[in-house]
Amino acid sequence: MPLVVQKYGGTSVGSPERIRAVADRIKRTRESGNDVVAVVSAMGDMTDRLIELALSVAPDPDRREYDLLLSTGETQSSALLTMALKACGCPAISLSGALMGVRTDRAHSRARIMNIEPARIRTELARGHCVIVPGFQGVTEEGDVTTLGRGASDLTAIAVAVALEAPKCEIYTDVDGVYTADPRVVPRARKLHRISYEEMLELAHMGARVMNPRGVELAELYSLPVEVRSSFNDRSGTLIDRGDEMEERKHVRGVAFDTNVAKITLAGIPDRPGLAHAIFAPLADAGISVDVIVQAASIGGLAEISFTVSRADLERARAVVEPVASETGAQVVHSTANLAKVSIVGTGLQSAPGYAAKMFGTLAGQGVNIDMITTSDIRITCVIDEAAGEDAVRALHSAFELDQGE
Ligand code: ADP
Ligand code: ASP
Ligand code: MG
């Protein structure tokens, strides 16, 4: 039988009614002649609630216990969905992260999948079961439970589809597909019928949380087509694949927005070789990802370096750079958390002149000050004040005519 791998996000399994609706969709998929493996997220905001609970008993919870606690959200929803399937006469079994064979490294809360050994999944499919598995988790070689990072149930689903050599992976969520911008911020955003891995990856990295960036990366590596669809209706969704190189289309495909941005600036640092290394090596050693980096031209032999990190990492990053700053002779360390990134994404941006100018002009027209700018071949990103962010996204969406059909 053909194999279908599906993933259901938090809102899709957010209540008993929703779990029954998902069970019904899985049952229909099976009845139309498919084997089904479904990967599920925790119900609604369960993961946030578990995090709150952990922080209420310990300000800096033990990482191993924290992961064990967080993994229970997905364990709950997979058991509940399996019960709902069995109750409606569909043979099903749930497997824990360990039983389904997801091996990870030991980096708690941001573990990487080393390999998936899907023997048990295959056995259960051969026994005629739909197999329901929890996303977002795995086990180390020693059997300790790990979690893979926020939003990583998408990654689990794609990794399971790759391991089982499924022809594609279906991601069911609470919107009809991937839009030209977050439809909750831009009501005139349009659904994209198809998008390339490359463009999806940039949008996801820049804040379009509809797909987890590590999941997109893995799908691209194995050329696995991914379809993003709604679990609330039967409309067709968005196909993420290599894209059609020959297609004549607009250069800008989407606008992304991310408010999880904090900035640290070191000013008045004596400009000498090795300076950037002295600042960024300890941050890397502490496992802190740095995003946008801007070094201002040195004036009078004194340089200024600014960089962004996620808000959750701001205090840790400050604690790492403050001693470095005093060693290197920096005069000021300044930080701010109220920032956002807005990005325009599309293949062909780099080769076509005028996109940057249009983006900056649009932001200027809104009275928005640009704090930092960064680009890739297919993206231009501006760091701006968070308060101006949503209006800026809407203005860019209209300026690039994204509301006007493909
Ligand atoms: P799930 O729980 O199903 O994984 P998420 O909340 O992680 O769902 O992702 C879906 C949400 O992503 C949508 O509700 C939407 O608000 C948001 N989103 C952000 N950018 C986009 C975009 N470009 N297209 C569609 N949805 C987007
Ligand atoms: N439940 C996890 C989270 O909220 C994983 C996921 O939903 O993808 O981050
Ligand atoms: Mg998600």
Side-chain angles (χ1 to χ4, degrees):
M1 272 206 279
L3 172 66
V4 176
V5 175
Q6 302 181 331
K7 177 255 167 177
Y8 293 94
T11 315
S12 300
V13 293
S15 65
E17 296 71 43
R18 290 298 315 151
I19 289 177
R20 283 198 300 272
V22 166
D24 182 57
R25 184 182 291 273
I26 292 174
K27 188 173 181 224
R28 279 189 280 136
T29 311
R30 183 171 186 277
E31 284 170 357
S32 46
N34 300 289
D35 275 338
V36 185
V37 176
V39 177
V40 287
S41 287
M43 292 173 71
D45 63 354
M46 180 58 80
T47 308
D48 293 329
R49 281 159 48 203
L50 291 170
I51 291 173
E52 233 173 77
L53 205 51
L55 294 175
S56 70
V57 296
D60 183 17
D62 178 89
R63 299 325 284 178
R64 180 185 182 280
E65 305 310 320
Y66 182 82
D67 274 11
L68 189 57
L69 177 73
L70 261 56
S71 71
T72 62
E74 269 71 9
T75 307
Q76 275 181 13
S77 50
S78 48
L80 287 166
L81 177 58
T82 307
M83 290 173 196
L85 278 161
K86 295 183 95 153
C88 65
C90 183
I93 185 167
S94 70
L95 300 177
S96 66
L99 272 181
M100 69 192 257
V102 179
R103 290 268 165 280
T104 72
D105 63 14
R106 298 186 187 86
H108 281 292
S109 303
R110 52 186 165 88
R112 299 192 71 85
I113 298 178
M114 310 305 282
N115 72 297
I116 295 192
E117 187 29 78
R120 180 69 187 271
I121 299 183
R122 286 195 203 285
T123 308
E124 296 302 338
L125 289 173
R127 286 185 180 144
H129 285 133
C130 292
V131 181
I132 313 302
V133 296
F136 176 60
Q137 60 193 273
V139 288
T140 65
E141 227 174 296
E142 293 77 26
D144 292 313
V145 173
T146 52
T147 62
L148 310 178
R150 294 308 306 268
S153 291
D154 296 339
L155 172 66
T156 308
I158 286 163
V160 166
V162 166
L164 291 168
E165 297 174 349
K168 69 169 177 178
C169 182
E170 297 173 357
I171 303 283
Y172 286 91
T173 182
D174 55 7
V175 283
D176 284 2
V178 179
Y179 280 67
T180 46
D182 186 339
R184 295 184 207 285
V185 176
V186 183
R188 300 185 64 191
R190 278 181 312 101
K191 185 172 75 184
L192 296 164
H193 298 290
R194 192 174 180 188
I195 186 168
S196 67
Y197 295 119
E198 208 191 357
E199 290 168 328
M200 187 68 241
L201 188 58
E202 290 278 5
L203 285 173
H205 267 307
M206 291 298 133
R209 72 173 191 284
V210 63
M211 272 302 297
N212 175 271
R214 286 160 62 197
V216 181
E217 236 163 38
L218 190 66
E220 180 173 19
L221 189 63
Y222 287 90
S223 298
L224 177 79
V226 176
E227 197 184 340
V228 181
R229 310 180 48 164
S230 171
S231 69
F232 291 77
N233 60 54
D234 286 328
R235 287 196 273 278
S236 67
T238 302
L239 176 67
I240 309 171
D241 67 359
R242 297 229 159 268
D244 185 350
E245 308 271 314
M246 302 297 288
E247 203 174 301
E248 181 59 32
R249 55 178 193 224
K250 288 186 181 161
H251 292 295
V252 177
R253 307 246 36 234
V255 182
F257 177 50
D258 188 356
T259 53
N260 185 14
V261 184
K263 181 178 83 164
I264 297 183
T265 301
L266 281 74
I269 335 164
D271 197 6
R272 57 170 174 74
L275 180 66
H277 181 256
I279 296 168
F280 294 108
L283 286 166
D285 292 343
I288 297 171
S289 297
V290 172
D291 186 20
V292 184
I293 302 174
V294 171
Q295 175 166 0
S298 117
I299 298 167
L302 295 180
E304 183 179 301
I305 292 188
S306 297
F307 59 93
T308 63
V309 294
S310 70
R311 286 186 189 168
D313 283 340
L314 177 59
E315 287 316 313
R316 267 187 338 122
R318 264 199 86 115
V320 171
V321 296
E322 264 163 4
V324 180
S326 53
E327 275 163 36
T328 51
Q331 287 156 11
V332 201
V333 179
H334 172 74
S335 65
T336 163
N338 302 326
L339 296 172
K341 281 184 290 193
V342 283
S343 306
I344 56 169
V345 171
T347 40
L349 277 195
Q350 195 202 31
S351 52
Y355 282 92
K358 188 165 182 175
M359 180 174 191
F360 305 153
T362 305
L363 293 175
Q366 294 283 304
V368 175
N369 187 46
I370 302 173
D371 204 321
M372 297 163 108
I373 299 166
T374 132
T375 64
S376 78
D377 281 359
I378 66 163
R379 168 180 58 78
I380 305 170
T381 297
C382 295
V383 175
I384 60 173
D385 238 12
E386 181 187 3
E390 295 203 354
D391 285 339
V393 174
R394 287 187 281 267
L396 290 169
H397 194 270
S398 317
F400 288 99
E401 297 170 4
L402 290 171
D403 29 19
Q404 284 175 30
E406 278 182 289

